[in-house]
Amino acid sequence: MGWFGTLLLAKPKTATLPAQPGVREAFGSSFATPTPWGNNKVGLYDLGQGWQRVGVVPFYTERLRLSAGVDDLVAATAAPVLAAYVSNSACAHLEGRTPAGLSLSLHLPNADEPCGFQHVEGRPERVDPHLAVEALRTWAVEAGRTSSTEVIASILMSGEDDLPVMQDAVLTLFAGLGFASASEILPVIDPDDPAFGDYEPVVRMADVRASGEQYMASRGWPVEDDLKATPKDLDYLRFRDLLWGSIYGGGVTRDKLVAHYQQLAARWKKQ
């Protein structure tokens, strides 16, 4: 199975991009963290001069706001922002903005053929490749970076069969915009810390129930009591939000999270 998620490139006002206000609300809270199985290519990276990139996926109870999130982040950081939502490692919807007013919506591959995916905000139409290359070069100039026309063009003018795995293509595009140097920023809290006990399986089911309730309510459908998120579900979801708001800093300490989890586990021990 391929990767679904947003690769976000921005210049946060906070120490890390996941801690920047508005990021989690627009793009999600499940940030890619290192695993025992190898390179964390879509993790959090320092790109120099205050710039960072990160891969992020919304939980079921969160909703991606790609274009609005980019707009809000430009306003909050006073710097250009580029976000690419990747579908199953096969295609991507890019949204780019700058404080000077440049706005670009682009689909990769940049072609007229259907991609087979139902994009959350609709698939952008094909853009003249030369205009798209020029727009991205202008984006890079506003970001204070020296871009490579050749690298940008190689991505924008490639067909589906010529592009690498889509998240790799997006990272190549970021490098072509002048962000070739990257060093990983490691999390300060491990989401899989054994001190959090049964948090993950419990909150996974809580997320499914709560998102189902949201879905039915959004359509005005009645929700049976046995399908609603329980008080235990809501407690665990609040803990999840606290945890993922702290993994890359900007939240609470590990000690406070452990204490919070112990209180949570004790409260629901007999449930």
Side-chain angles (χ1 to χ4, degrees):
M1 181 178 176
W3 187 68
F4 290 84
T6 299
L7 282 165
L8 179 63
L9 171 60
K11 190 175 184 180
K13 294 286 189 182
T14 50
T16 66
L17 189 50
Q20 172 66 43
V23 167
R24 293 173 62 213
E25 293 82 355
F27 303 101
S29 300
S30 182
F31 299 101
T33 56
T35 71
W37 301 286
N39 184 24
N40 184 32
K41 291 188 294 185
V42 295
L44 177 62
Y45 281 80
D46 179 1
L47 307 179
Q49 299 177 318
W51 291 89
Q52 296 177 11
R53 64 167 168 84
V54 71
V56 55
V57 178
F59 289 113
Y60 289 126
T61 48
E62 298 176 322
R63 295 292 177 266
L64 174 65
R65 297 188 301 111
L66 190 64
S67 57
V70 170
D71 288 336
D72 292 346
L73 201 49
V74 169
T77 62
V81 175
L82 186 63
Y85 180 76
V86 176
S87 294
N88 199 31
S89 300
C91 71
H93 174 174
L94 278 73
E95 292 288 340
R97 306 285 190 278
T98 70
L102 183 145
S103 179
L104 174 67
S105 297
L106 181 70
H107 185 271
L108 291 177
N110 181 30
D112 291 323
E113 292 78 12
C115 68
F117 287 94
Q118 184 88 25
H119 290 281
V120 173
E121 298 179 0
R123 177 190 157 168
E125 299 292 333
R126 179 181 180 277
V127 180
D128 181 286
H130 299 286
L131 295 179
V133 169
E134 189 57 34
L136 285 168
R137 289 184 66 246
T138 300
W139 187 99
V141 168
E142 288 200 47
R145 294 291 175 134
T146 301
S147 62
S148 167
T149 301
E150 293 75 15
V151 172
I152 297 171
S154 71
I155 298 297
L156 299 192
M157 297 183 184
S158 292
E160 180 179 358
D161 295 336
D162 301 317
L163 287 168
V165 172
M166 187 52 64
Q167 58 266 37
D168 290 346
V170 173
L171 294 179
T172 298
L173 178 61
F174 287 177
L177 290 169
F179 299 95
S181 178
S183 58
E184 188 171 9
I185 301 172
L186 297 177
V188 297
I189 293 170
D190 180 2
D192 299 319
D193 192 322
F196 301 140
D198 68 347
Y199 146 77
E200 188 173 353
V202 174
V203 85
R204 190 184 306 123
M205 291 307 301
D207 197 31
V208 170
R209 278 191 288 268
S211 64
E213 185 178 350
Q214 284 181 352
Y215 178 83
M216 295 181 74
S218 71
R219 281 155 176 74
W221 298 342
V223 183
E224 300 294 332
D225 287 343
D226 60 349
L227 297 178
K228 293 180 178 179
T230 67
K232 179 180 178 180
D233 289 337
L234 299 178
D235 259 1
Y236 269 81
L237 288 171
R238 282 189 285 268
F239 177 75
R240 181 197 69 185
D241 290 342
L242 188 64
L243 172 62
W244 282 92
S246 307
I247 283 175
Y248 281 107
V252 301
T253 65
R254 177 185 179 276
D255 287 346
K256 289 186 177 180
L257 283 167
V258 171
H260 189 114
Y261 171 74
Q262 290 172 345
Q263 293 171 358
L264 190 68
R267 183 181 308 146
W268 297 108
K269 184 177 181 179
K270 297 180 180 179
Q271 298 293 321

